[in-house]
């Protein structure tokens, strides 16, 4: 009797323990979505559509350069015998930059002067010959009219006079040619002295005293140096062909240089190229960019020689009373061009906007071949709005976008809860009316379970 009762108790305890284990497993499975997952719906992320200011930005990279930069090269060849400037010097218009060896050009000028003197002497001789030939011609003409001399003598006198007049005219032209040669020789001599064409800074010096340089009037000679106006700086950046259509002249911009990571500069678009720069043309890595010029506003380089701020304080460097350029040619920088701004616009995260084929939606997703052949693709932009525990698809008309948000011009009024993730759900899985679970609902369910325990 006692043995039978003990066996019944053990079976009762074992059954009760098994029941508790099953209940615990069922509760855990419910929490993890093993049971009832179809009713709870697809787990998604959501965010509220709000009104905000959106600014469309085009980002590009380039290098700083002066707006005005002149390459200095000689017009005549020669040896540099004087180089009074060095890189970084500030020069004024008309300052001497370099002097070439001038002995050969001075000798040429002296020869040209002698040629002018010789041509003038020849002109005087031909003038005297023409006067004498004129007198002889007049005398022979009178005698011929009196039939004292023969016709042949008269014709000889006339021919001699005509020759003298022609030689006199030729002598005049030789004088003019000699004067032109002298003027050219003087200009060649003057070109051995190279002067600054404008006020600016020597930003590049390619030669040293004693070097020989080549120069001709027909083509550019050896580049000796560059004179730049650092008070007017700009950046030339490459903008992708997909973004350049959004850029307009006078668009504002923010410029950041790698050399000044804690400082930004304001700029404005001044020039947009009409011709593209194509890199790796004909290959899979082909890139098409358009050069865009950005002027630096409120240039910190203005008045470089008028103050002492920015000078380097080192004991081995004596103070000069001048400060160095903040923006130097060749500095690399990034530019954010603000192409368009929409104020008080309904905005949603960019990832919330997707594309759906409305032709497929109308056909109910049928895979019948004849039906697919008859319908045309009808792609439209949509967002999915979370309404309770289901998703509603809303067609939207979008506008500009920044790095995070996109403007919605039609379809939403603001305040709606739009589904923002995950990407796989938005791009493929979500359908109108599908059951969903947001992160807020999941956290509320976790809190309820915790309180019950």
């Amino acid at each position: 009797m006692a043995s039978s009762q003990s066996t019944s108790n053990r079976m009762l305890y074992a059954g009760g323990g098994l029941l508790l284990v099953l209940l615990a497993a069922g509760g855990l499975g419910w929490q993890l979505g093993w049971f009832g997952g179809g009713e709870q719906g697809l787990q998604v992320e959501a965010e509220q559509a709000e009104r905000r200011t959106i600014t469309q930005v085009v980002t590009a990279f380039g290098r700083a350069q002066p707006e005005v930069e002149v390459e200095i090269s000689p017009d005549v060849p020669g040896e540099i015998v004087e180089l009074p400037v060095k890189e970084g010097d500030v020069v004024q218009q008309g300052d001497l930059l370099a002097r070439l060896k001038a002995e050969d050009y001075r000798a040429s000028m002296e020869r040209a002067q002698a040629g002018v003197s010789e041509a003038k002497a020849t002109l005087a001789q031909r003038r005297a010959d023409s006067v004498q030939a004129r007198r002889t011609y007049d005398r022979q003409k009178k005698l011929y009219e009196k039939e004292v001399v023969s016709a042949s003598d008269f014709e000889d006198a006339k021919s001699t006079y005509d020759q003298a007049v022609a030689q006199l005219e030729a002598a005049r032209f030789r004088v003019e040619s000699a004067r032109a040669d002298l003027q050219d020789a003087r200009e060649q001599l003057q070109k051995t002295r190279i002067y600054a064409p404008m006020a600016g800074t020597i930003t590049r010096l390619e030669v040293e005293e004693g070097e020989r340089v080549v120069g001709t009037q027909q083509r550019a000679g050896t580049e000796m140096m560059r004179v730049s106006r650092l008070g007017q700086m700009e950046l030339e950046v490459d903008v992708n062909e997909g973004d350049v259509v959004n850029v307009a002249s006078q668009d504002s911009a923010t410029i950041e240089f790698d050399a000044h990571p804690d400082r930004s500069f304001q700029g404005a678009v001044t020039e947009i190229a009409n011709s593209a720069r194509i890199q790796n043309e004909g290959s899979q890595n082909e890139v098409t960019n358009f050069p865009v010029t950005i002027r630096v506003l409120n240039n910190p380089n203005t008045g470089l020689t008028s103050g002492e701020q920015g000078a380097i304080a080192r004991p081995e460097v004596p103070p000069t009373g001048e400060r160095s350029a903040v923006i130097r040619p060749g500095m690399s920088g990034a530019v954010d061009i603000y192409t368009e701004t929409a104020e008080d616009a309904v905005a949603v995260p960019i990832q919330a906007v997707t594309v759906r084929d409305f032709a497929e939606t109308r056909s109910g997703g049928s895979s019948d071949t004849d039906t697919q052949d008859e319908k045309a693709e009808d792609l439209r932009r949509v967002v999915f709005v979370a309404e309770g525990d289901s998703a509603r698809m809303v067609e939207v008309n979008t506008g500009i976008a920044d790095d995070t948000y996109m403007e919605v011009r039609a379809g939403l009024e603001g305040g709606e809860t739009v589904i923002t993730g995950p990407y796989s759900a938005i791009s493929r899985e979500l359908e109108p009316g599908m059951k969903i679970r947001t992160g807020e609902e999941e956290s509320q369910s976790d809190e309820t379970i915790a309180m019950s325990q």
Side-chain angles (χ1 to χ4, degrees), residues 11 19 62 76 82 91 115 185 191 195-196 234 241 254 281 418:
M11 293 180 61
L19 179 60
V76 295
E82 184 179 357
V91 297
K191 289 176 180 178
Y195 298 95
E234 64 184 13
E241 60 180 330
T254 299
E281 186 173 3
V418 296

Side-chain angles (χ1 to χ4, degrees), residues 43-48 417 437-447:
Q43 179 67 39
V44 296
E45 301 169 2
E47 185 175 329
Q48 194 174 43
T417 300
R437 288 183 299 130
T438 63
E440 296 179 356
E441 295 175 353
E442 184 72 16
S443 62
Q444 291 176 359
S445 175
D446 292 342
E447 291 178 0

Side-chain angles (χ1 to χ4, degrees), residues 304 307-314 317-326 328:
L304 290 178
E308 300 181 356
Q309 296 181 355
I312 301 176
R314 293 202 304 263
V317 179
T320 61
E322 300 180 0
R323 62 187 180 91
S324 60
V326 176
R328 301 189 180 191

